[in-house]
Amino acid sequence: MAETTLHPDAIRDLVEGRHGDPFAALGPHATPAGQVVRTLLPGARSVEVVTRGGARPLEKIHPAGLFEGPLAEQPYLLRIDWNGVVQETEDPYAFPPLLGEMDIYLLAEGTHQDIGRCLGAHPVTLEGVRGVRFALWAPNARRASVVGDFNGWDGRRHPMRRRIEAGIWEIFIPRVMPGAIYKFELLDPNGSMLPLKADPVAWQAEPAPATGSVVADTANIRPPKPLVPQGDPARQPMAVYEVHAGSWMHGDGNAPLSWEELGDKLIPYVKGMGFTHVEFLPIMVHPFGGSWGYQPLGQFAPQADFGPPEHFSRLVERFHEAGIGVILDWVPAHFPTDAHGLARFDGTALYEHADPREGFHHDWNTYIYNLGRREVRNFLLGSAIHWLEHYGVDALRVDAVASMLYRDYSRPHDQWVPNIHGGRENLESISFLQELSRIIEQRCPGKLLIAEESTAFPGVTRKADEGGLGFDFKWNMGWMHDTLHYMEDDPVFRQYHHGSMTFGLVYAFSERFMLPLSHDEVVHGKGSLIGKMPGDDWQKFANLRAYLSFMWTHPGKKLLFMGGEIAQRREWSHDRSLDWHLLDEPRHAGLQRLVRDLNRLYAEMPALHVLDTDAAGFRWVVLDDAQNSVFAFLRQAPEGGVPALVVVNMTPVTRSGYRLGVPSAGGWREVFNSDAAIYGGANHGNGGMVHAAAEPSHGLDASLALELPALSTLVLVPAGS
C-alpha cells in the first residue's frame, strides 16, 4: 500500500466505521508533502481525482477502500470505478460546515422555532452543486452516518461532521435527489451499532410497513392559502367532522382513498353536510395502523400511504377554498418503542425519560417525552409550528393532555416520581403547553389549540400569561360520558338519572368547551352510537335524533366522528370503509339529513352559537321534570337578538299540552322538530306554530302549551324573526 501521513489509528477507525470526526481525515488536507485528498469508498476498484488540469489516480492506502493522492487544485470531482460502472461526483468532504452559527446556537439553546427547515434532509445547491443537506441531533452518538440506496446502505461511506456545541451531525451529499430513501446509522456511546434509525425530522417517509425516510422535495411543499378569518372563534359556529383518513371511504379494489381522492369526495361531503371543520385522526407517520395514528414516529411527515406530502398540502388548500377549516390530532405525550424510531435514539434515553416511572406508559406501552429537556421541547414545538405554518392547518387537537398534566396518571401509588415540590402535577408538561400556546399566538395568530383533557384541571382555556394552559377549546369529556350513559338507559329509568343531562350546565362556562362524540366512543367493544340507544329500531333512531339535537342546541362547539351522521350500525374498524350503503334505507338517510339541518340551524341562528362560552347565553326553563324526562332551556343571542327555545322529551311517550314559560307572548314558530317525517320520525308536533299567552310561568312573562313528540327535541323562535 502507498504511504500516507494519516495515523494508523485513524485509518483503522475509518475503515471500521468508528471514526467520530471523519472530516479531520477525509477530503482535502494540507500535509508536509503538499495538498492531498482522501476518500473512503468500500467496494471501489479505483478512484481518480479530476480537476480542470485533468485526471489523476488516487492510491489505495487500505484494502477496505481508503484512497489518497495529491490534489493539484480545487474544485475537483471523484471519478469512481465500481467494477466497471463509472460514477463522477463531488466529494462530500470538500464542503465546509453547513448550519450557520445562529442555527447552532438556537439548537443548543432549544429555542430554534423552525427545526423542520434546519434539521432533517433538504435538497439544496451548494457552490453550484445540487444535493441534499442532512442534519441530525444525536449528542451522545460516537459516530453518525447517512445510509441509503445511494451508498449501498454502508455506514462507512458518509459519516457525518459533528457540531459538538449542539450535539448536531451534518453532511452534504452531492447529487442525491428527492425521492432517495435513507436512514441514520449510529454508534452508541460504547461504540456498539444501533438499529438503523429513521429521521425524526423527515418531511416524507416510505409507506408502511417499510420504515425508511425519504428525501422530500421540500421546496415544493408550499404553505396553502389560508382560511379567511371569521372573527373570535368562541363566537362562531364550529361543527367538526372527525375523520380517519384510511377508513372514511374506500375506492377501487377496496383500497383507502389517496389525498387527492379524499379531496374529490370528502370536501364536497363535509361542505354539503354543513360542517365548518374537518378533524383528522393523526396523519403523522406511524408504524402500526391499529394505533389510528396515536403512536406516531414521524412528527414532521404525513403518512405516506395516501400520497406524497405536497398532495396533503394541496388537500388543506382545497378545504380552505371550500371555506372549511382543517384540524389535526397531534400527539406530544408519548411515542412507540419501535427500534427504528426515537427509542434510545443515540443509545441513551434521549427523547424519553431514563426512569421508567417517568418515561414509560404501561397503558399504551409507549415512551413519554422528556419535556424537561430543552431540545425535546424544541423538537415538539417545531413539529407544531411545522403543521400550522408549512401545511397551513388551522388547529391542533392535542391528544392525551390529562396524561401529560399528572405524574401519577394511571400509575400505582409507588410507581411515580413527585415533582420538585412533592406534588403530582407535571410542572414540565404544564410549562411546555404554556410555551406552545404562547408561540402559536405569536407566530400563528388565528390558529387554534384544542385540548383532549378529561380531568378538572383548572384554567385549560385560560391564557398562559394569566396562569392557564392557553388552549382555545377543551373537549368536554364529562358531558360526553354523562349524557351517553343517560342515553343508554331504558327510558323507564331515565327519571332516576336526570342530572346526567343537566349537570354539564353547572360547569359549562368554566372553560371554552367543545362537545365531542368522538372515535373513542365507537371502538373497543363500545359499539356504535345507534347501537347504544335502547329500544326497538324505531326507538333507537328516535333516541339518536333527539340526542344529537340536544347536543347541537347545548352550549359548546360540536364534534362528531364519521359514521355517526349515518347511524353506522357496526362498530368502527380502521380496516374497512364506513357502511355507505346504509343510506339506501330511509331512517339512515333521514338521520343524515337531520345532522345536515342541525348544522344549518346552528350556523344560521346566533342564539345557538354566539354566546356558547358565556353564561348570559343560556337559561333553564324546565330543569327538574325528572318524572317526565323533559328538559327545556332558552339559548339567547347577544344585544337582544332572537332567542331559541329548546324542548327535549326523552321518553317514548307523547306529551300533549305541556306548558312552559317563554320570554314573550305571541306566536312562536317551530323551526326544528327531530320527529319530522323527513328525518324518519312520526311527524308529531305543533304544526309549525304555537301561540304564547301572557300567562307567566317558570319565571318568564308568558307561556305556551306544546305537543312534545315521543323521544324528540324541538326548537322554537318568536314568530316574525
Side-chain angles (χ1 to χ4, degrees):
M1 296 296 162
E3 291 187 2
T4 177
T5 59
L6 198 57
H7 194 278
D9 290 348
I11 295 175
R12 181 199 64 217
D13 289 346
L14 283 171
V15 300
E16 292 181 359
R18 300 185 177 279
H19 203 297
D21 187 12
F23 280 81
L26 300 177
H29 287 277
T31 72
Q35 192 84 353
V36 301
V37 62
R38 302 189 194 98
T39 183
L40 179 61
L41 297 165
R45 177 190 293 169
S46 63
V47 182
E48 292 180 315
V49 61
V50 182
T51 67
R52 286 171 295 185
R56 183 167 182 170
L58 300 182
E59 297 291 331
K60 184 179 285 189
I61 62 174
H62 193 280
L66 184 60
F67 295 84
E68 179 182 309
L71 179 63
E73 59 181 327
Q74 298 192 53
Y76 64 94
L77 296 176
L78 298 175
R79 182 180 294 155
I80 310 162
D81 180 352
W82 298 104
N83 295 303
V85 177
V86 177
Q87 173 193 17
E88 281 195 358
T89 184
E90 292 75 16
D91 184 356
Y93 298 93
F95 291 89
L98 306 174
L99 296 179
E101 291 304 316
M102 183 54 70
D103 283 329
I104 292 294
Y105 173 80
L106 294 175
L107 287 167
E109 192 180 52
T111 57
H112 201 301
Q113 293 187 6
D114 201 3
I115 68 171
R117 287 284 186 190
C118 183
L119 301 181
H122 295 276
V124 295
T125 300
L126 292 181
E127 300 177 5
V129 180
R130 294 179 64 191
V132 176
R133 186 199 73 207
F134 296 89
L136 172 73
W137 179 58
N140 304 306
R142 181 173 290 187
R143 188 261 294 167
S145 294
V146 182
V147 294
D149 49 7
F150 45 82
N151 64 12
W153 298 88
D154 189 334
R156 297 171 295 174
R157 286 279 305 278
H158 292 114
M160 305 168 79
R161 172 189 281 116
R162 185 176 187 179
R163 306 293 296 274
I164 193 168
E165 60 272 41
I168 302 296
W169 299 83
E170 62 174 19
I171 193 171
F172 172 70
I173 304 181
R175 308 199 185 193
V176 173
M177 302 299 290
I181 299 170
Y182 71 99
K183 286 187 177 181
F184 293 109
E185 182 181 280
L186 306 178
L187 299 185
D188 71 13
N190 298 317
S192 298
M193 187 82 70
L194 294 169
L196 294 183
K197 295 288 188 177
D199 185 353
V201 192
W203 284 39
Q204 189 172 351
E206 289 186 284
T211 58
S213 301
V214 177
V215 175
D217 191 355
T218 51
N220 280 342
I221 305 174
R222 298 184 178 92
K225 296 175 183 176
L227 192 67
V228 177
Q230 301 296 315
D232 181 2
R235 296 173 66 87
Q236 303 301 317
M238 192 172 182
V240 181
Y241 188 55
E242 189 187 30
V243 171
H244 177 258
S247 62
W248 178 72
M249 180 180 291
H250 284 182
D252 295 339
N254 202 32
L257 301 180
S258 67
W259 295 129
E260 292 177 310
E261 291 168 332
L262 271 172
D264 295 338
K265 296 182 181 294
L266 179 59
I267 292 173
Y269 182 78
V270 173
K271 181 75 172 178
M273 286 296 294
F275 288 99
T276 63
H277 291 73
V278 64
E279 177 175 328
F280 287 106
L281 274 61
I283 56 92
M284 299 79 184
V285 171
H286 49 280
F288 174 52
S291 77
W292 316 324
Y294 289 101
Q295 293 196 11
L297 281 180
Q299 288 282 24
F300 290 77
Q303 186 78 348
D305 304 57
F306 311 113
E310 55 268 28
H311 288 186
F312 176 71
S313 179
R314 175 60 183 148
L315 176 65
V316 175
E317 186 164 68
R318 292 175 68 185
F319 270 112
H320 287 177
E321 290 168 350
I324 299 165
V326 178
I327 304 170
L328 294 187
D329 279 10
W330 183 65
V331 187
H334 60 117
F335 59 90
T337 60
D338 298 66
H340 71 278
L342 302 179
R344 296 193 64 82
F345 189 81
D346 61 2
T348 69
L350 189 64
Y351 287 89
E352 69 272 34
H353 293 271
D355 188 335
R357 295 176 300 167
E358 296 182 278
F360 192 77
H361 266 307
H362 290 280
D363 290 355
W364 304 317
N365 290 319
T366 52
Y367 287 123
I368 300 169
Y369 284 107
N370 181 0
L371 295 175
R373 184 163 191 166
R374 61 182 184 272
E375 298 96 337
V376 175
R377 291 166 69 107
N378 197 187
F379 169 76
L380 290 170
L381 293 170
S383 168
I385 292 168
H386 179 76
W387 295 105
L388 294 170
E389 290 190 344
H390 297 307
Y391 286 101
V393 303
D394 304 285
L396 297 176
R397 195 278 275 176
V398 183
D399 179 65
V401 171
S403 75
M404 300 174 69
L405 295 177
Y406 300 100
R407 287 174 163 266
D408 62 347
Y409 180 86
S410 193
R411 292 182 182 275
H413 69 90
D414 59 346
Q415 291 298 309
W416 60 280
V417 180
N419 64 34
I420 58 172
H421 305 298
R424 58 193 288 259
E425 296 79 11
N426 191 318
L427 304 180
E428 294 80 9
S429 290
I430 293 169
S431 171
F432 166 77
L433 293 170
Q434 291 174 327
E435 184 180 4
L436 171 68
S437 67
R438 290 190 185 101
I439 288 175
I440 290 176
E441 186 175 14
Q442 293 163 5
R443 283 194 56 151
C444 311
K447 307 289 188 178
L448 303 180
L449 269 183
I450 302 165
E452 184 211 22
E453 203 285 306
S454 56
T455 74
F457 190 91
V460 172
T461 58
R462 190 184 311 135
K463 285 187 174 295
D465 290 342
E466 299 172 0
L469 294 183
F471 286 92
D472 296 283
F473 295 102
K474 169 183 170 173
W475 277 18
N476 195 336
M477 312 290 279
W479 176 91
M480 177 181 69
H481 293 141
D482 288 347
T483 58
L484 277 176
H485 288 156
Y486 177 91
M487 294 306 301
E488 290 175 19
D489 277 336
D490 187 295
V492 171
F493 303 112
R494 285 177 177 168
Q495 61 181 307
Y496 305 112
H497 305 284
H498 196 73
S500 293
M501 294 289 272
T502 63
F503 181 66
L505 270 303
V506 172
Y507 60 88
F509 309 105
S510 61
E511 302 273 9
R512 293 190 294 275
F513 281 118
M514 179 175 287
L515 309 181
L517 289 177
S518 76
H519 66 278
D520 277 330
E521 304 314 305
V522 293
V523 292
H524 297 323
K526 296 178 184 176
S528 62
L529 283 183
I530 191 71
K532 296 178 192 296
M533 302 297 116
D536 60 20
D537 213 44
W538 188 93
Q539 289 192 15
K540 285 180 181 293
F541 275 87
N543 269 299
L544 186 54
R545 291 193 302 266
Y547 178 50
L548 291 175
S549 304
F550 170 73
M551 172 181 172
W552 252 256
T553 53
H554 189 286
K557 309 310 178 187
K558 325 300 177 189
L559 178 139
L560 181 65
F561 183 57
M562 64 182 201
E565 82 282 11
I566 65 170
Q568 169 90 10
R569 290 184 181 272
R570 292 192 295 177
E571 182 174 275
W572 171 61
S573 168
H574 66 278
D575 286 327
R576 63 173 181 254
S577 168
L578 295 181
D579 294 329
W580 293 105
H581 63 274
L582 293 174
L583 292 175
D584 295 335
E585 301 178 27
R587 283 179 181 167
H588 292 273
L591 187 76
Q592 185 190 49
R593 181 169 184 174
L594 175 126
V595 173
R596 182 170 62 244
D597 286 355
L598 283 172
N599 277 332
R600 176 190 54 79
L601 189 73
Y602 171 60
E604 291 177 355
M605 292 189 65
L608 293 181
H609 65 257
V610 174
L611 297 180
D612 256 342
T613 62
D614 189 334
F618 180 89
R619 173 174 175 167
W620 280 113
V621 177
V622 176
L623 169 64
D624 56 358
D625 189 1
Q627 183 176 357
N628 293 312
S629 297
V630 171
F631 313 85
F633 52 87
L634 284 167
R635 295 298 308 276
Q636 301 177 127
E639 293 84 41
V642 179
L645 173 67
V646 180
V647 189
V648 184
N649 174 16
M650 282 300 182
T651 60
V653 177
T654 299
R655 306 200 180 279
S656 300
Y658 193 96
R659 180 163 293 277
L660 47 79
V662 290
S664 58
W668 281 72
R669 288 189 301 124
E670 187 178 78
V671 296
F672 177 83
N673 180 346
S674 71
D675 193 48
I678 57 173
Y679 305 138
N683 218 31
H684 295 158
N686 299 278
M689 182 72 74
V690 65
H691 184 78
E695 301 176 15
S697 181
H698 298 98
L700 295 166
D701 294 338
S703 60
L704 45 71
L706 291 175
E707 177 94 353
L708 303 186
L711 297 171
S712 69
T713 296
L714 308 178
V715 181
L716 299 96
V717 299
S721 58

